[in-house]
Amino acid sequence: MEDSADRAAAAEPQRSLEVERKYDVDDATAVPDWTALPGVAGVGEAEHRRLDARYLDTAEGHLARSGVAVRRRSGGPDAGWHIKISTPEGKHEWAWPLDAEPAADVSDLPVPEPVVAALAQWASPPFAALARIRNERHAYALRDAEGALVAEFVDDHVTARDERRGTEASWREWELELGPAAPADAEGRAALFAAADALVSAAGGRPAASDSKLGRALTGR
């Protein structure tokens, strides 16, 4: 009975909604002073994370056509298997714990059964290697006067490989993801992101040309 309960718990993912803004920046672009954002009173120390993500899809690209991505990512506080679903309100993320280290051959990356079951509404196995994205990330907590998390800012140096074409690319980008203490209303969120856009523009950055690292890895822009 206990084993059945454990299996049921393992099959149920953690669910979250990412509301974020992404920016393209040059290597020399200086990070702005995020305390200029409304509601941000302090910025935490940089937390270094070395991330390694492997993305999969069917040979026909069923997941991509549905606005869905699946990956296995190691490194960082949310290491695990993730399904990301793009919607107008943001990206829904379903997450499962990390499994055993995969074989060196990325084409032989077994997908855990709970993840396969969750993907069934969009696609069925076999899943093939799509891309590998490695990222040197520095993350900063942006907190209000009470210490609650308004947003997380990350400065990413990305190296990506399109596994199907065998091509590689590298770039730097920033992400600003809202936290629990961010404005709950659409107007307040819009004002916060507008202020962030202005700060980034003044620093020399620009809105990201792609809404995901995977998209940029596969299109080259």
Side-chain angles (χ1 to χ4, degrees):
M1 184 76 78
E2 186 174 340
D3 288 344
S4 298
D6 289 344
R7 285 195 297 271
E12 186 63 26
Q14 292 187 342
R15 301 173 188 267
S16 61
L17 176 66
E18 296 179 348
V19 181
E20 64 184 14
R21 190 82 104 217
K22 295 169 66 69
Y23 303 97
D24 292 334
V25 292
D26 299 326
D27 286 340
T29 305
V31 173
D33 178 6
W34 292 111
T35 60
L37 289 182
V40 175
V43 178
E45 294 294 322
E47 179 184 331
H48 179 229
R49 303 169 186 169
R50 182 170 285 113
L51 310 178
D52 187 351
R54 303 180 185 208
Y55 289 79
L56 305 173
D57 201 345
T58 64
E60 299 79 13
H62 291 105
L63 295 178
R65 288 202 298 271
S66 299
V68 175
V70 61
R71 73 184 179 196
R72 182 196 186 279
R73 188 168 77 178
S74 60
D78 64 343
W81 279 91
H82 306 136
I83 294 175
K84 299 174 79 73
I85 308 157
S86 297
T87 70
E89 62 182 328
K91 289 183 179 178
H92 290 271
E93 182 174 285
W94 303 346
W96 291 261
L98 205 61
D99 54 356
E101 192 64 25
D105 182 2
V106 72
S107 65
D108 186 26
L109 183 60
V111 182
E113 289 184 10
V115 181
V116 172
L119 289 170
Q121 58 189 296
W122 301 290
S124 299
F127 296 109
L130 184 61
R132 183 174 187 178
I133 298 178
R134 285 169 285 185
N135 182 12
E136 294 291 331
R137 166 171 288 182
H138 289 85
Y140 302 80
L142 312 187
R143 300 189 181 278
D144 64 17
E146 286 71 45
L149 185 67
V150 177
E152 182 181 63
F153 164 70
V154 298
D155 184 0
D156 289 343
H157 292 262
V158 183
T159 301
R161 176 178 174 81
D162 182 330
E163 298 288 2
R164 293 180 174 178
R165 294 186 298 164
T167 57
E168 293 194 0
S170 60
W171 66 88
R172 183 186 181 199
E173 70 177 46
W174 292 345
E175 291 181 7
L176 186 70
E177 181 179 342
L178 299 187
D185 60 294
E187 185 177 351
R189 290 182 172 187
L192 190 150
F193 279 133
D197 291 349
L199 283 175
V200 172
S201 178
R206 53 211 174 273
S210 176
D211 67 353
S212 72
K213 291 178 177 64
L214 177 60
R216 182 162 180 173
L218 299 180
T219 63
R221 63 181 186 277

